[in-house]
Amino acid sequence: MSSRIGPFTVSGSCPVRMRRPGSGSGTATASGPEAARQRPLWAAAAPAPAPAGGSKKITHPVKAILAGGLAGGIEICITFPTEYVKTQLQLDERANPPRYKGIVDCVQVTVRDHGVKGLYRGLSSLLYGSIPKSAIRFGMFEFLNNRMIDEKGVLTMWRSFLCGLGAGVAEAVLVVCPMETVKVKFIHDQSSLSPKYHGFFHGVRGIIREQGLRGTYQGLTATVLKQGSNQAIRFFVMTTLRNWYKGNDPNKPINPFITAAFGATAGATSVFGNTPLDVVKTRMQSLEASKYKNTLDCAYQILKNEGLFAFYKGTVPRLARVCLDVAIVFVIYEEVVKILNKI
C-alpha cells in the first residue's frame, strides 16, 4: 500500500523510499544538503561507528592530578634518605677538605651526629612540594597526551618526548625550583656548625626575609633544564617500552611488576643523561650560590676547580633513589587511575 506526498511516493512503512516523478521503480539518490534534508531523523541520531583498530583510551587531567599527587607523597616518604645522602655528597666540594669518604660514611656520620631522623632533615619541604609536583607533572602530561595520541589511542615515541618535556618544564617553574631551593638550603644548613633553620616555615620565612621571593628561585634555568630533560627522557623510555609490550593492542593491561621494571629503566636512563645538570642545579641552590654569577659560570667553576668527574658526584645514590622513585610513582599512579576509573 502506498500514498503520494508532494513529488514523492511513500511505499509501506519504514524504510522510506523516495522516488522522483518519472524515475520509474529506481530509488533516487542525493548528496550534499539535499541528502541531509531527505535523511530520516532516526538515521541522523544514530552514533558514528567506532574507528577500526580500537578506540582512544584517555585519562582525564583531573584524574591524573589526583593520582599523581598521591603517588608523589607516598614515594618521597620511602626514598628521601637516598636524596639526603646524594645532596650531601654533591655539596661536599673538593675545594675544601672533604667531610665524607663515601655513601656509607655519609650515612654513618649523619646518624652519629643527628640520629636516624637526621636522614629525614628537609623531608617536610620536599613532601610539601612532592605532592603538587607529581600532580602537575602527570596532569600536564595527560593534558598534552590527550591531544597528541592517534586515532588508535597510541602515543608515538617522539610525541611522548615532547609531552614529557612540557610536563617537566611546568613542574620546574611552578613547584620544583622553590621546593628544591628550600630543601638544599635546609640540608646545607645542617652541615654547618650552628644551624639557623628550625623547621620548614621558619626556614622559608628566613630565606624570603633575607633574599626576597627571588631567593626561592635560585637556579631556575638549571632546574628547568634538569626537569625538562628528566621527564622527556623518562616518558620517552616509558612510552617506548609500553608500546613494545602492548604491540597492536593499546588496551592490553600491564602487570604492576612490569610497570615497575619499565619505570626503573626509565629512571636509570634519565640519571645518566642529566646528572651534570643536577649537580649544577644543587650548587646554584646552596647557601654559597652567591659566589656564582649564573648557571654557566657555576658549570665553568666546577669544571675548572674540580674536574669533569665532579659533574657526576652523587650518581650512585641518585641512581638508587631515582630508579626506586620512578618505579614506585608509575606503579602507584597506574593503580590509582584504575581505581578512579572504576569509581
Side-chain angles (χ1 to χ4, degrees), residues 26-100:
T27 302
T29 60
S31 59
E34 185 179 354
R37 287 194 300 270
Q38 295 176 1
R39 187 179 299 115
L41 291 177
W42 57 264
S55 58
K56 290 185 179 182
K57 184 179 181 181
I58 64 176
T59 299
H60 195 282
V62 174
K63 288 182 182 178
I65 289 173
L66 292 174
L70 182 59
I74 295 173
E75 172 273 323
I76 199 60
C77 291
I78 297 174
T79 63
F80 184 79
T82 59
E83 173 69 13
Y84 175 89
V85 173
K86 179 215 73 171
T87 304
Q88 285 283 35
L89 291 177
Q90 289 180 347
L91 293 173
D92 193 27
E93 300 185 32
R94 188 174 296 172
N96 299 319
R99 184 182 182 189
Y100 306 113

Side-chain angles (χ1 to χ4, degrees), residues 2-11 16-20:
S2 63
S3 61
R4 191 173 184 82
I5 302 177
F8 303 107
T9 300
V10 180
S11 302
V16 178
R17 295 181 181 177
M18 295 173 288
R19 299 174 183 168
R20 295 186 185 277

Side-chain angles (χ1 to χ4, degrees), residues 176-182 185 204 207-208 211-218 285:
V176 176
C177 189
M179 177 194 71
E180 288 283 306
T181 300
V182 173
K185 289 183 185 296
V204 171
I207 293 170
I208 294 178
Q211 306 173 25
L213 188 61
R214 185 179 180 181
T216 63
Y217 270 89
Q218 291 179 334
Q285 293 171 336

Side-chain angles (χ1 to χ4, degrees), residues 141-208:
F141 180 82
E142 294 296 350
F143 174 81
L144 297 174
N145 170 77
N146 293 346
R147 284 155 179 75
M148 290 191 177
I149 55 177
D150 60 23
E151 66 279 358
K152 296 182 179 179
V154 176
L155 183 67
T156 62
M157 293 186 299
W158 292 111
R159 287 187 176 185
S160 70
F161 184 90
L162 294 176
C163 290
L165 181 63
V169 171
E171 72 175 12
V173 174
L174 297 176
V175 179
V176 176
C177 189
M179 177 194 71
E180 288 283 306
T181 300
V182 173
K183 180 209 73 174
V184 171
K185 289 183 185 296
F186 273 9
I187 294 177
H188 200 179
D189 179 61
Q190 182 188 341
S191 64
S192 64
L193 296 177
S194 55
K196 58 182 180 179
Y197 299 141
H198 306 293
F200 175 76
F201 295 106
H202 178 264
V204 171
R205 285 197 303 268
I207 293 170
I208 294 178

Side-chain angles (χ1 to χ4, degrees), residues 36-337:
R37 287 194 300 270
Q38 295 176 1
R39 187 179 299 115
L41 291 177
W42 57 264
S55 58
K56 290 185 179 182
K57 184 179 181 181
I58 64 176
T59 299
H60 195 282
V62 174
K63 288 182 182 178
I65 289 173
L66 292 174
L70 182 59
I74 295 173
E75 172 273 323
I76 199 60
C77 291
I78 297 174
T79 63
F80 184 79
T82 59
E83 173 69 13
Y84 175 89
V85 173
K86 179 215 73 171
T87 304
Q88 285 283 35
L89 291 177
Q90 289 180 347
L91 293 173
D92 193 27
E93 300 185 32
R94 188 174 296 172
N96 299 319
R99 184 182 182 189
Y100 306 113
K101 299 176 182 178
I103 300 172
V104 176
D105 183 59
C106 179
V107 173
Q108 291 176 340
V109 170
T110 301
V111 173
R112 184 191 65 206
D113 295 343
H114 305 282
V116 175
K117 67 179 182 180
L119 293 172
Y120 284 88
R121 181 70 182 271
L123 171 64
S124 58
S125 62
L126 208 57
L127 183 61
Y128 295 151
S130 182
I131 294 175
K133 177 182 74 171
S134 293
I136 290 174
R137 176 196 307 164
F138 284 100
M140 178 60 72
F141 180 82
E142 294 296 350
F143 174 81
L144 297 174
N145 170 77
N146 293 346
R147 284 155 179 75
M148 290 191 177
I149 55 177
D150 60 23
E151 66 279 358
K152 296 182 179 179
V154 176
L155 183 67
T156 62
M157 293 186 299
W158 292 111
R159 287 187 176 185
S160 70
F161 184 90
L162 294 176
C163 290
L165 181 63
V169 171
E171 72 175 12
V173 174
L174 297 176
V175 179
V176 176
C177 189
M179 177 194 71
E180 288 283 306
T181 300
V182 173
K183 180 209 73 174
V184 171
K185 289 183 185 296
F186 273 9
I187 294 177
H188 200 179
D189 179 61
Q190 182 188 341
S191 64
S192 64
L193 296 177
S194 55
K196 58 182 180 179
Y197 299 141
H198 306 293
F200 175 76
F201 295 106
H202 178 264
V204 171
R205 285 197 303 268
I207 293 170
I208 294 178
R209 183 174 60 250
E210 296 169 8
Q211 306 173 25
L213 188 61
R214 185 179 180 181
T216 63
Y217 270 89
Q218 291 179 334
L220 176 61
T221 301
T223 303
V224 168
L225 291 174
K226 179 212 168 186
Q227 293 303 122
S229 60
N230 243 352
Q231 303 310 324
I233 293 172
R234 290 176 188 176
F235 280 107
F236 173 84
V237 174
M238 195 71 184
T239 301
T240 301
L241 294 174
R242 278 175 173 168
N243 290 346
W244 165 78
Y245 180 81
K246 291 184 176 182
N248 296 325
D249 182 8
N251 295 326
K252 180 180 179 181
I254 301 180
N255 185 282
F257 292 103
I258 296 177
T259 299
F262 288 171
T265 302
T269 305
S270 68
V271 167
F272 290 109
N274 74 351
T275 288
L277 289 173
D278 187 54
V279 172
V280 173
K281 175 196 71 69
T282 300
R283 298 289 180 85
M284 287 296 295
Q285 293 171 336
S286 69
L287 295 176
E288 300 178 355
S290 58
K291 70 180 183 181
Y292 304 118
K293 297 177 182 178
N294 49 46
T295 301
L296 289 177
D297 180 63
C298 178
Y300 174 75
Q301 293 296 334
I302 294 174
L303 181 62
K304 176 183 176 182
N305 299 325
E306 304 173 48
L308 184 62
F309 287 105
F311 286 108
Y312 283 89
K313 274 189 172 182
T315 298
V316 174
R318 185 180 181 227
L319 181 64
R321 185 193 69 81
V322 169
C323 288
L324 187 60
D325 167 359
V326 180
I328 291 174
V329 166
F330 272 111
V331 170
I332 296 177
Y333 174 77
E334 295 289 348
E335 295 307 308
V336 172
V337 167

